Amino acid sequence: MADEALVVIDLQNDFCPGGALAVAGGDEIVPLVNDLIRHADHVVLTQDWHPAGHSSFASSHPGSQPFTMIDMPYGPQTLWPDHCIQGSLGSDFHSGLAWTKAELVIRKGFRPAIDSYSAFFENDRTTPTGLAAYLRERGIDTLTLVGLATDFCVAFSALDAVKHGFKTTVRLDACRGIDLNGSLETMLRRMRDAGVTLEDHLSD
């Protein structure tokens, strides 16, 4: 187990019911994630961490509505409601999350001009977070990903993990998705095609 890590993606208040960008049932996964944390030798958390006025917020583009697409210098970008603003209650980890065992917290989305879904890269696909090198230096080669949301930050993190050569599993029963215009099925297919192992212990 020493070469395996659990990566908990963005289990923050703003992505849970009542939050600014709530994922339906996002808080339901907390007990299962806590159980996985208890049994993991190594735990890494990611935390969405936006400055106010971030370029991915619809409010930063007059006349734009949340969940519409615009073109940014790095490519297409979904516009979001203001969420996970640095130091806000919404950016905090869910109060029920047993996060204290985490050995590393990767903050992402803190660059004002670029969004970040993946735990490994900003959305330009070239600016690294440093997570891959950290894991390699620790001798970790196997990852299990859980958290929010299945079809955005979890999926992009899993795809990048495989690209980096990590053996990667996503526990779908410990994730919840947004499903924006069919994004859930699209990203599940992309993960399968890339070699990500998708496990759902609820359907066993």
Side-chain angles (χ1 to χ4, degrees):
M1 292 287 286
D3 58 356
E4 299 181 19
L6 177 71
V7 183
V8 182
I9 304 289
D10 296 0
L11 231 176
Q12 295 165 260
N13 289 328
D14 267 347
F15 296 126
C16 292
L21 185 49
V23 180
D27 54 347
E28 296 170 0
I29 65 173
V30 171
L32 177 53
V33 171
N34 285 346
D35 191 54
L36 293 169
I37 288 173
R38 272 192 294 276
H39 291 92
D41 283 345
H42 302 293
V43 179
V44 173
L45 303 183
T46 69
Q47 187 175 25
D48 224 26
W49 194 249
H50 294 304
H54 193 271
S55 61
S56 68
F57 294 166
S59 62
S60 298
H61 303 270
S64 296
Q65 294 298 312
F67 309 110
T68 56
M69 297 286 289
I70 64 165
D71 284 320
M72 297 287 268
Y74 52 84
Q77 171 67 49
T78 300
L79 293 179
W80 304 106
D82 292 22
H83 66 281
C84 294
I85 293 171
Q86 296 170 358
S88 68
L89 184 63
S91 70
D92 287 349
F93 295 119
H94 185 280
S95 61
L97 181 65
W99 58 267
T100 54
K101 192 176 173 182
E103 298 169 354
L104 178 71
V105 176
I106 289 281
R107 285 177 166 162
K108 56 192 184 62
F110 56 79
R111 293 176 173 86
I114 185 166
D115 203 9
S116 183
Y117 297 156
S118 170
F120 293 93
F121 287 107
E122 305 282 9
N123 281 8
D124 61 1
R125 320 300 307 136
T126 57
T127 304
T129 65
L131 178 57
Y134 171 86
L135 294 169
R136 282 202 194 94
E137 192 166 353
R138 298 287 308 279
I140 292 165
D141 60 14
T142 302
L143 304 178
T144 297
L145 274 66
V146 300
L148 306 172
T150 315
D151 40 340
F152 283 92
C153 295
V154 173
F156 281 97
S157 298
L159 292 170
D160 284 342
V162 168
K163 275 185 204 153
H164 275 298
F166 295 101
K167 183 182 177 189
T168 306
T169 297
V170 171
R171 277 285 299 264
L172 293 175
D173 50 334
C175 301
R176 291 292 184 273
I178 296 175
D179 203 14
L180 193 60
N181 302 318
S183 57
L184 187 57
E185 192 50 52
T186 297
M187 296 310 289
L188 289 173
R189 185 170 61 249
R190 280 185 61 184
M191 286 192 284
R192 279 193 204 99
D193 291 348
V196 177
T197 300
L198 301 178
E199 291 185 3
D200 187 347
H201 291 216
L202 290 178
S203 62
D204 287 353

